[in-house]
Amino acid sequence: MSINAGELAGTMLNAMQGVLSEKWPEIKEYAESEAKKLAQSLVMIEALKVANKIDAEEAALHLSIQKNASRMVLLTIKGLGVLAVEQALNAALDVVKDTVNTALGFTLI
């Protein structure tokens, strides 16, 4: 099973919008960018896994790095707190976890 970055990004963006709806007009562009980056990271992790160049521990590290980067970007937006950003990122990853975990053959999310 191959992960589709566009589909993942769209699904994650919708989940983020649900959590951050009050601030959505202000953060939409940032959220779109970060959803795309997260999706691309997940596609890269899958490609590395298929090529046997990464194991579950390394995959988790890659995801953690991208999640932290996305967290920092979203935290720069005035009025967004740590809890809201964390909830948005968790919601985004939660809606794609089954797809990603199935494609990888191990639990990443």
Side-chain angles (χ1 to χ4, degrees):
M1 176 180 188
S2 183
I3 300 173
N4 181 302
E7 288 177 16
L8 283 186
T11 301
M12 289 190 289
L13 187 62
N14 287 336
M16 292 171 101
Q17 183 177 7
V19 173
L20 302 172
S21 59
E22 290 181 23
K23 291 283 209 179
W24 194 247
E26 299 167 51
I27 65 157
K28 181 181 177 189
E29 290 179 24
Y30 291 98
E32 287 173 343
S33 176
E34 295 312 306
K36 288 176 185 174
K37 290 175 192 174
L38 281 166
Q40 286 297 332
S41 289
L42 293 168
V43 167
M44 180 195 70
I45 289 168
E46 180 191 27
L48 292 170
K49 169 70 169 96
V50 168
N52 292 317
K53 294 182 177 182
I54 195 171
D55 61 22
E57 185 178 338
E58 292 166 321
L61 181 59
H62 278 281
L63 178 58
S64 178
I65 290 167
Q66 184 56 56
K67 188 176 174 184
N68 284 334
S70 293
R71 183 181 297 116
M72 292 300 109
V73 167
L74 294 175
L75 283 172
T76 65
I77 300 167
K78 185 175 181 179
L80 273 187
V82 174
L83 183 59
V85 168
E86 200 62 35
Q87 288 173 336
L89 290 173
N90 288 339
L93 292 171
D94 189 53
V95 295
V96 299
K97 72 179 178 185
D98 290 338
T99 300
V100 172
N101 292 341
T102 299
L104 294 175
F106 61 85
T107 302
L108 175 64
I109 302 171

